[in-house]
Amino acid sequence: MARIIVVTSGKGGVGKTTTSAAIAMGLAKRGHKTAVIDFDVGLRNLDLIMGCERRVVYDFINVINGEASLNQALIRDKHCDQLYILPASQTRDKDALTQEGVGKVLEELSKDFQYVVCDSPAGIERGAHLAMYFADDAFVVTNPEVSSVRDSDRMLGLLSSKSRRAERNEEPIKEYLLLSRYAPDRVKLGDMLSVDDVQDILSLHLLGVIPESKSVLTASNSGVPVILDEKSDAGQAYGDIVARYLGEDRPHRFIDEKKGLFAKLFGG
Amino acid sequence: MPTDAQNTPHHAPALEFKSSTFSVPVLVLSSDDFVTIGQQLQKKIQLAPDFFKNSPVVFDVQWLNKHNLAIDITTLVAIIHKAGLLPIGIRGGNDLQNKQALALRIPIYSIHNSLSAEPKKAEAAPQAVAAPNTPTTLINHPVRSGQRLYADGDLIILAQVSAGAEIMAEGNIHVYGSLRGRALAGVQGDTSARIFCFDLGAELLSIAGNYKISEDMRGVARNKPVQVYLQEHALIIKELT
Ligand SMILES: Nc1ncnc2c1ncn2[C@@H]1O[C@H](COP(=O)(O)OP(=O)(O)OP(=O)(O)O)[C@@H](O)[C@H]1O
Ligand SMILES: [Mg+2]
């Protein structure tokens, strides 16, 4: 049985797709057979970030509609043979996603994958609802600003009341906070909420802080999940997150301001 | 030749009457002035617009009739509709009012059938003495933005109530965490209801319809444990020490 992870946020543009690509790669690299699904029907972003956009033949909707088998639609990642991508359709609209259809696809994937990562679209509409409905774990991606935190809170309410686990009165979805695009110097200036502020508002288990980093854009431009850039701060942050998710105890990093060379040399 | 009956094996019944109990708000009227009623209704509804939207309601005109204020039911129903509520019953009406209600297909409820009406009379049978048993609702997870909770007795929350969340109880409210959303106690008019919380940051506090919004609470015990109660129609927020 696969563990189904939804990467969600409510608010758009906070780093869900970046995170989905990174953690799916991280889990696969550690030898867990992983599938990552793009639920953002109509936009299709994940395949670009995974660098497989030219190999898309069939998509998630084709599988739901029975126009292609899951095996035909799944794209094997070029960096890691334990990782598969199920792309979204660019041509259909969101109504093509049905609860029954999504349920069937996830059930079939569960038979041979260990993790299924669902990249949710923004908002709280159908696509976002179906992405989280079947989840076991939720990675709630939040930026350190008030509107993003509020949207995450809203999403957490939906996770605890509108998911399959909630409807069946099963053990609730495990919720984790991923604080992304964190810039300690801006926190210090008071432009951004701090880790403590966000945790105080959401009271949620912090899985990791991902710093604001140029490496994210570089990675997505080259179609390689940032976690593979092991020298980058964001890559390391995602590495830590995967490790913590799998039960390793790692101290949090990227929360404090980077010391400049001057400060480092003179102990400022 | 197949008949319809053969399509329904064993003549399985297509329907069944069952008895259920519902908790429905009762609108008790104490004025026959339609303008005042309309205004005050709007004001109450604005406290919890989502909760009241399309909510069923029974209206009670007993007090009016006792004071010889026979209100016109057709107009009253129109006002209730306009407020976005769905009237599903009249209580305490006179013959004419009951006829008017029936003409609008609104059923008549008897005062004597309802548990929460007037204090029990001495001659009441012993089994009728028991007050409606309103259990305490216990919530042990956070109430998040966009979520709404309603309890018909006391409400105890062992976690936080986020900004943008709304909790309502006919009785008291206890929040053993941060209260940052809206909390409304005594929503059916119980002026003795209280709100207790561990860390006050509420957007709105209300007891039996008397409310304060966060702007009115500036400087008062923010982020402190408090209790909130009514004293002569004034909402008092007092630090727990
Ligand atoms: N840690 C980061 N540092 C810098 N830029 C980042 C970081 N994370 C994400 N970004 C940038 O933010 C933008 C949005 O990221 P992404 O597409 O992952 O967000 P999303 O939540 O999936 O958006 P949508 O809601 O549109 O699906 C991208 O341009 C991405 O490069
Ligand atoms: Mg995305």
Side-chain angles (χ1 to χ4, degrees):
Chain A
M1 270 305 274
R3 195 92 192 150
I4 298 173
I5 303 170
V6 62
V7 179
T8 187
S9 69
K11 193 171 160 70
V14 297
K16 293 180 293 295
T17 302
T18 304
T19 299
S20 300
I23 59 156
M25 178 62 81
L27 290 166
K29 275 273 173 194
R30 284 165 168 259
H32 304 293
K33 196 172 175 191
T34 302
V36 55
I37 308 180
D38 191 348
F39 275 75
D40 208 344
V41 175
L43 285 174
R44 230 180 90 181
N45 248 320
L46 181 69
D47 50 327
L48 285 172
I49 292 188
M50 303 290 301
C52 65
E53 72 278 8
R54 277 188 231 98
R55 290 190 288 148
V56 174
V57 181
Y58 295 109
D59 58 54
F60 192 16
I61 303 293
N62 291 135
V63 179
I64 287 178
N65 289 345
E67 295 150 2
S69 72
L70 199 46
N71 282 332
Q72 285 175 305
L74 283 171
I75 303 170
R76 181 194 289 219
D77 185 79
K78 58 185 180 235
H79 303 282
C80 179
D81 61 5
Q82 296 283 58
L83 179 59
Y84 291 78
I85 298 114
L86 184 55
S89 169
Q90 214 160 16
T91 51
R92 313 291 182 89
D93 67 282
K94 299 186 236 344
D95 296 338
L97 284 180
T98 61
Q99 181 159 310
E100 195 197 352
V102 172
K104 272 193 191 147
V105 171
L106 289 177
E107 196 181 322
E108 199 177 334
L109 283 171
S110 286
K111 288 181 198 145
D112 20 88
F113 285 85
Q114 278 171 284
Y115 292 98
V116 178
V117 177
C118 302
D119 178 20
S120 173
I124 52 173
E125 307 297 320
R126 191 191 190 85
H129 178 250
L130 288 176
M132 65 83 163
Y133 184 74
F134 298 96
D136 300 304
D137 299 319
F139 287 13
V140 179
V141 182
T142 305
N143 290 168
E145 41 141 328
V146 172
S147 67
S148 172
V149 173
R150 175 68 76 96
D151 284 1
S152 293
D153 195 61
R154 183 89 208 266
M155 186 47 75
L156 286 161
L158 297 175
L159 290 169
S160 67
S161 60
K162 297 274 152 62
S163 61
R164 181 168 69 171
R165 282 175 173 267
E167 282 176 8
R168 293 185 172 176
N169 245 327
E170 293 169 356
E171 198 185 312
I173 295 177
K174 278 214 181 73
E175 303 157 342
Y176 301 93
L177 173 63
L178 280 74
L179 192 54
S180 186
R181 308 199 67 164
Y182 197 74
D185 47 337
R186 296 194 52 201
V187 173
K188 208 170 175 195
L189 289 172
D191 296 350
M192 269 187 183
L193 298 174
S194 69
V195 178
D196 288 345
D197 292 336
V198 177
Q199 275 198 285
D200 185 45
I201 299 173
L202 293 177
S203 47
L204 204 61
H205 178 74
L206 178 71
L207 198 57
V209 173
I210 305 119
E212 170 78 25
S213 167
K214 283 196 290 276
S215 60
V216 172
L217 191 61
T218 315
S220 72
N221 283 340
S222 52
V224 181
V226 70
I227 197 170
L228 293 180
D229 182 357
E230 286 167 16
K231 288 203 196 71
S232 71
D233 46 1
Q236 291 173 14
Y238 280 118
D240 286 354
I241 284 170
V242 171
R244 287 190 201 107
Y245 174 67
L246 295 173
E248 273 178 46
D249 194 11
R250 289 201 184 177
H252 283 286
R253 298 194 269 172
F254 313 111
I255 292 177
D256 297 320
E257 231 173 325
K258 255 181 284 183
K259 285 192 176 169
L261 186 61
F262 185 84
K264 266 187 199 157
L265 286 177
F266 300 100
Chain B
M1 215 182 158
T3 66
D4 281 353
Q6 282 171 316
N7 291 335
T8 325
H10 312 303
H11 301 280
L15 51 79
E16 183 180 1
F17 275 109
K18 286 198 163 169
S19 167
S20 290
T21 321
F22 297 94
S23 157
V24 176
V26 178
L27 182 67
V28 182
L29 293 157
S30 49
S31 160
D32 67 341
D33 178 41
F34 289 125
V35 177
T36 313
I37 294 175
Q39 281 168 353
Q40 295 195 2
L41 199 52
Q42 282 304 339
K43 231 170 129 189
K44 291 259 190 241
I45 284 173
Q46 270 154 24
L47 291 179
D50 290 339
F51 172 71
F52 284 114
K53 192 170 176 214
N54 293 330
S55 163
V57 66
V58 171
F59 53 91
D60 185 326
V61 293
Q62 185 188 207
W63 188 93
L64 292 181
N65 285 328
K66 268 196 188 149
H67 294 78
N68 292 320
L69 301 169
I71 197 168
D72 179 64
I73 298 303
T74 315
T75 313
L76 177 62
V77 166
I79 289 174
I80 296 174
H81 275 146
K82 198 163 159 239
L85 299 170
L86 301 173
I88 58 156
I90 178 173
R91 205 167 68 174
N94 59 30
D95 284 349
L96 175 68
Q97 288 172 326
N98 288 347
K99 269 195 198 125
Q100 275 188 309
L102 279 180
L104 296 166
R105 302 187 174 276
I106 292 174
I108 297 154
Y109 286 88
S110 145
I111 294 278
H112 308 289
N113 289 347
S114 77
L115 289 163
S116 53
E118 296 197 34
K120 289 137 293 220
K121 296 192 184 80
E123 70 264 26
Q127 66 265 33
V129 170
N133 194 5
T134 43
T136 296
T137 306
L138 182 76
I139 305 289
N140 53 17
H141 55 77
V143 187
R144 301 284 186 181
S145 175
Q147 290 190 305
R148 249 175 35 232
L149 271 184
Y150 188 95
D152 45 14
D154 284 0
L155 178 60
I156 299 180
I157 297 176
L158 296 174
Q160 68 172 21
V161 178
S162 297
E166 186 166 76
I167 52 173
M168 284 178 267
E170 291 178 18
N172 305 301
I173 292 178
H174 304 251
V175 181
Y176 297 98
S178 297
L179 170 55
R180 302 192 179 109
R182 300 151 69 94
L184 299 89
V187 290
Q188 296 294 342
D190 180 357
T191 51
S192 68
R194 292 186 180 215
I195 299 171
F196 304 87
C197 73
F198 207 64
D199 170 18
L200 177 69
E203 294 168 321
L204 177 143
L205 293 170
S206 164
I207 290 174
N210 301 274
Y211 64 91
K212 273 193 178 158
I213 57 173
S214 57
E215 285 186 4
D216 311 330
M217 293 181 232
R218 263 193 219 129
V220 265
R222 288 307 252 192
N223 303 107
K224 303 247 168 63
V226 298
Q227 64 161 322
V228 183
Y229 56 92
L230 272 186
Q231 204 168 54
E232 278 142 27
H233 302 290
L235 200 72
I236 310 289
I237 301 173
K238 197 163 172 213
E239 225 177 289
L240 288 169
T241 44

